[in-house]
Amino acid sequence: MKLSLCTISFRHHLLSLDQIAHWARLHDFQGIELWGIHAKNLAETPEYGKEWLRSYGLETSMISDYLPLEATEEEMINETKKLSDLAKHWGTTKIRTFVGKKGSAETTEKERDYLVTRLRTICDILYADGQVVLVETHPHTLADSLTSTLQLIKEVNHPALRINFDVLHVWESGVHPLDALELLRPYVSHFHLKNIQSSSHLHVFAPENVYAAAGSRDGMVSLFEGAVDYHEFFTEAMSSMEIHASLEWFGRDVKQILKEDATEMRRLADMLQKEKV
């Protein structure tokens, strides 16, 4: 198992990347998932990059951004190449994105064909540089359901297309995460991990709320205390694949929650490893 923290978790904190990396090393994380806007702003200080991060014993697990599939082709290609260069600088082959700005049921066939064509173009660009694009399973996108996600994989039909499996959002779609993983496993390159007290609180993860400094955090809970049973999920998942995952915490008490969740993840991984022996 390789576990990362996300710089997006510290978006409202007055902490430097040096402080975040130091804390990550101190608490035995293996990597840092770099939010796209952070990577772009850090481009102005090129001394920060893969070599610098390796000095902390860390790696960049992924750059998480939002590639503009709806923009002009020129704009989309330029943005993709910019992120590709940033990914090389930070030593990762993985770039995360969303596909579409509305749900699969609300997307017309023409709109879907357009997004599929654009996504295939992105795949071609990244594949040429040994990189991949990870489509996140997320509400109000073409990957908002298991059926649509599988269809998208088939439509794009490209080796550079991978899946960022957000366990909570898969659960939110009404499918048991383990059932979804059974079908998506060959395409999954990363997991996003977060939890919620109950489905009635899922609205707190709406972008307009979760990215706002004054947004509600009601219902956000630590990984092993919420509605999604992560003990069950990882007991099964860890038995059949290597886990590369990021703790995606948006609430308060960031360091304490990340520390507790990472400790429990490692305890569970150690327990399952001992059972195999």
Side-chain angles (χ1 to χ4, degrees), residues 104-149:
S104 56
E106 291 74 48
T107 302
T108 67
E109 185 176 344
K110 182 178 180 180
E111 289 169 334
R112 188 179 183 104
D113 288 344
Y114 176 86
L115 290 169
V116 166
T117 300
R118 287 300 184 87
L119 187 54
R120 192 180 298 117
T121 298
I122 289 171
C123 286
D124 285 338
I125 294 169
L126 296 180
Y127 191 65
D129 283 324
Q131 298 168 331
V132 292
V133 59
L134 277 67
V135 169
E136 181 159 326
T137 54
H138 200 280
H140 310 299
T141 71
L142 287 190
D144 62 356
S145 71
L146 177 59
T147 299
S148 185
T149 303

Side-chain angles (χ1 to χ4, degrees), residues 44-58:
E44 298 177 4
T45 50
E47 61 267 27
Y48 288 99
K50 59 185 177 182
E51 290 83 7
W52 172 83
L53 200 53
R54 284 171 185 164
S55 72
Y56 286 90
L58 298 167

Side-chain angles (χ1 to χ4, degrees), residues 231-240 264 266-277:
H231 283 107
E232 176 192 39
F233 180 79
F234 281 116
T235 296
E236 174 62 30
M238 287 181 180
S239 69
S240 58
E264 180 61 16
R266 285 189 287 270
R267 188 199 68 80
L268 181 60
D270 290 344
M271 181 187 71
L272 293 172
Q273 185 61 37
K274 289 176 182 177
E275 289 179 355
K276 289 181 181 180
V277 177

Side-chain angles (χ1 to χ4, degrees), residues 10 18 26 36 38 47 71 101 114-115 133 149 157 241 251 260:
F10 298 89
D18 303 74
L26 190 64
H38 291 159
E47 61 267 27
K101 295 183 178 179
Y114 176 86
L115 290 169
V133 59
T149 303
N157 189 29
M241 65 187 299
E260 291 175 358

Side-chain angles (χ1 to χ4, degrees), residues 178-195:
L178 285 174
D179 292 337
L181 184 61
E182 182 66 27
L183 295 175
L184 290 172
R185 183 184 284 109
Y187 311 101
V188 173
S189 289
H190 205 81
F191 292 89
H192 268 178
L193 311 178
K194 54 182 176 286
N195 215 336

